[in-house]
Amino acid sequence: MGIRKVIHLPRVKKVPLRMCVGCQEMKPKKELIRVVRTPQDTVEIDPTGKRSGRGAYICPRRECLQKAVKGKRLEKALQRSIAPEIIQSLAEGLQE
């Protein structure tokens, strides 16, 4: 009877990935901005990423926002039309 040696491998923490509605690339959730349609049927930016409601993720780049708005992908993801003020506030929160 031999002695078995148990090797413990370090646990690899999985990084949650989400797809940007603009460029449609999979990226780590923390790199993206979440836009949420709340149960009260308002569309808002979710800085915590934990608010209840239907969410869509977008890269913090203007090109991605423009692609998402032009292709109506943000509206499809949230299943609701989005007011221009919300698109404007998203654009102000994004980098160049």
Side-chain angles (χ1 to χ4, degrees):
M1 284 201 195
I3 299 173
R4 282 193 177 157
K5 190 172 185 180
V6 179
I7 301 170
H8 290 282
L9 296 173
R11 293 217 167 195
V12 179
K13 191 159 190 169
K14 290 184 182 174
V15 178
L17 297 174
R18 298 291 181 267
M19 185 186 286
C20 170
V21 292
C23 62
Q24 303 209 316
E25 289 179 22
M26 294 297 281
K27 297 191 176 181
K29 187 176 170 183
K30 288 187 177 183
E31 290 179 14
L32 301 171
I33 296 169
R34 184 171 187 249
V35 182
V36 66
R37 186 192 76 209
T38 63
Q40 292 78 32
D41 214 36
T42 60
V43 177
E44 300 167 14
I45 296 169
D46 181 10
T48 63
K50 294 180 180 169
R51 297 189 59 186
S52 65
R54 184 168 186 85
Y57 292 85
I58 191 158
C59 294
R61 297 194 336 249
R62 284 197 195 276
E63 308 92 69
C64 285
L65 178 64
Q66 289 168 348
K67 285 180 188 175
V69 171
K70 187 177 177 187
K72 296 191 184 266
R73 288 187 227 144
L74 200 55
E75 291 182 2
K76 283 180 190 168
L78 297 175
Q79 299 173 345
R80 174 174 201 286
S81 61
I82 297 167
E85 305 88 60
I86 287 149
I87 294 168
Q88 184 63 37
S89 67
L90 253 175
E92 289 166 7
L94 301 179
Q95 316 162 343
E96 282 299 316

